[in-house]
Amino acid sequence: MNDEPMNDEIMQTITGRTELLGLLAHPIRHSQSPRMHNLAIARLGLDYAYLAFEVDDEELPAAVEAMRTLKVRGWNVSMPNKMRILTCVDTITPAAELIGASNTVVNEDGRLTAYNTDGVGAMEALRFFDHAPEGRTITIIGAGGAGTAVTVQAALDGAAALNIFNRRDPFWDNAERTLEKISSRTGAAAVLHDLADQDALAGALAESSVLIDATNVGMGALEGRTNLPDVSIIPPETFVMHVVYSPAETRFLRDCGRAGLQCTNGIEMMYRQGAAAFELFTGHDMPLDYVRAHMGR
C-alpha cells in the first residue's frame, strides 16, 4: 500500500455494500475522529465510510432511530449526547452503566449496544507508556465525564486503590455515587477528596505511582490555568498524564516537564479510545502507527 491514500483512491472504495460509521455531537466540525477512522479504513482496505453528524441532545433520539433504520453499523457519541444516549439504546455494557455515559454505539442487526471506550483509551495509554493500571495506586483529578470514565475503567482493570480529587462543584454528588458503585462491584479501594485539601493531595501522591488530570483546566477559556500550581508535591518517580491534547502542552504539563517528571498529554488516550471503538465497529485493529504518522498531514 502507499503511505498515504489519495482522495480518489478513498472515493473508489465507496460501493453499494459500503457500511456507514459516524459521530453524533454538537459542535462537531473540529473533530479529528473522521480523519482518524477514515485513514484506518483506507489503510486496511475496508468497505466503510465514517462521517460526522451535527446532532444535539434534543435531536438525539430521532437521530438514533434514523441510524437504526438506515442500518448504520456504529457511531461515536460526544458532548452533549453521552448521557442521554443511554436512554436510546437496547443494551448498556457494565462499564458504560457504571460511568453513566457512552461514547460508542454498535448496531447488531437493529439492536443497539452502548459502550464507553474513553476509560479504555486512558488505560491503554498507560500501558503504552509501561504504566499498566493493574495493582497500582492512582490519583485522579476531576470527577466529570472524563474523570468518571478514567476512574471506573481503572477500577475494572484492576487498580488497587484510587484517590479522586474534585472541587465541591455539581460533579461532587455524582462522584460519590460512582465511588459507591466501584466499591460494591470491583476490588478497588476508592476515596473521594476535596481538591482544596492540599495535605490530602500530597499524601495521596506519596502513595501513588500514576497521576491523571482528567479535567479540561488548561485548554480553551482555561488555558494557562492549572489544578496543581505547586508540582513539587509530586514524587519524582510518578508518571503524569493530562487528558487534554489541545494545546499539546498545558501549563500543568509544562510545569511537570520542567520539574523532570515523566509526563504525557491526552493524544495517545485519544488514539486508543478511537482504536477501541474501531475494533468494535469493524472487528479489525486500528493501524495506530500509520494513523499517528498521518493525522497531521
Side-chain angles (χ1 to χ4, degrees):
M1 295 181 182
N2 296 328
D3 283 343
E4 176 91 57
M6 299 298 291
N7 287 338
D8 59 346
E9 292 173 346
I10 294 173
M11 290 304 297
Q12 288 171 12
T13 69
I14 302 296
T15 73
R17 296 183 180 275
T18 300
E19 291 193 77
L20 182 61
L21 304 172
L23 169 65
L24 307 181
H26 181 83
I28 201 171
R29 300 309 169 195
H30 66 285
S31 176
Q32 295 297 307
S33 291
R35 177 160 177 77
M36 176 171 61
H37 283 270
N38 285 314
L39 278 169
I41 288 165
R43 179 65 169 173
L44 296 178
L46 303 178
D47 203 358
Y48 293 90
Y50 187 109
L51 299 177
F53 300 96
E54 197 135 43
V55 174
D56 64 22
D57 200 49
E58 291 184 2
E59 299 167 324
L60 184 65
V64 168
E65 286 311 303
M67 302 288 259
R68 191 199 303 262
T69 300
L70 293 172
K71 299 179 176 58
V72 176
R73 168 58 182 161
W75 55 91
N76 292 120
V77 180
S78 192
M79 297 305 293
N81 304 320
K82 288 188 175 185
M83 291 181 288
R84 192 171 188 186
I85 190 66
L86 297 182
T87 68
C88 303
V89 299
D90 305 300
T91 304
I92 303 171
T93 61
E97 190 276 325
L98 276 171
I99 295 165
S102 167
N103 74 328
T104 302
V105 175
V106 177
N107 183 357
E108 296 280 2
D109 298 321
R111 186 166 186 83
L112 307 183
T113 300
Y115 297 80
N116 194 304
T117 70
D118 286 330
V120 172
M123 296 305 105
E124 288 302 312
L126 290 183
R127 293 186 179 96
F128 178 76
F129 290 107
D130 295 323
H131 292 277
E134 289 83 358
R136 292 187 184 274
T137 297
I138 301 175
T139 293
I140 299 164
I141 298 175
T148 301
V150 168
T151 300
V152 166
Q153 198 63 50
L156 292 173
D157 282 12
L162 300 166
N163 295 298
I164 296 88
F165 285 83
N166 196 75
R167 292 180 175 84
R168 288 188 176 272
D169 60 17
F171 292 114
W172 184 268
D173 290 344
N174 181 67
E176 290 183 320
R177 291 190 294 270
T178 299
L179 265 61
E180 289 175 2
K181 295 178 187 177
I182 287 173
S183 296
S184 65
R185 303 187 200 181
T186 76
V191 182
L192 177 64
H193 305 270
D194 191 335
L195 185 58
D197 189 342
Q198 293 295 292
D199 290 338
L201 181 56
L205 289 171
E207 301 172 352
S208 302
S209 56
V210 172
L211 168 62
I212 301 174
D213 186 335
T215 76
N216 65 349
V217 174
M219 70 175 293
L222 301 176
E223 188 166 354
R225 299 187 185 182
T226 177
N227 284 310
L228 198 57
D230 181 12
V231 299
S232 68
I233 67 172
I234 306 174
E237 66 277 8
T238 305
F239 179 76
V240 179
M241 180 166 71
H242 194 177
V243 300
V244 169
Y245 60 87
S246 180
E249 185 181 64
T250 59
R251 175 186 164 188
F252 174 54
L253 288 180
R254 184 169 63 251
D255 291 347
C256 287
R258 288 173 177 172
L261 295 164
Q262 184 185 4
C263 54
T264 185
N265 63 17
I267 192 66
E268 191 63 29
M269 174 180 167
M270 188 272 288
Y271 287 140
R272 297 283 171 162
Q273 64 81 24
F278 186 82
E279 195 277 332
L280 289 170
F281 296 149
T282 70
H284 293 268
D285 292 336
M286 180 177 279
L288 279 170
D289 289 344
Y290 178 82
V291 169
R292 288 191 202 95
H294 292 83
M295 276 295 287
R297 296 189 183 183

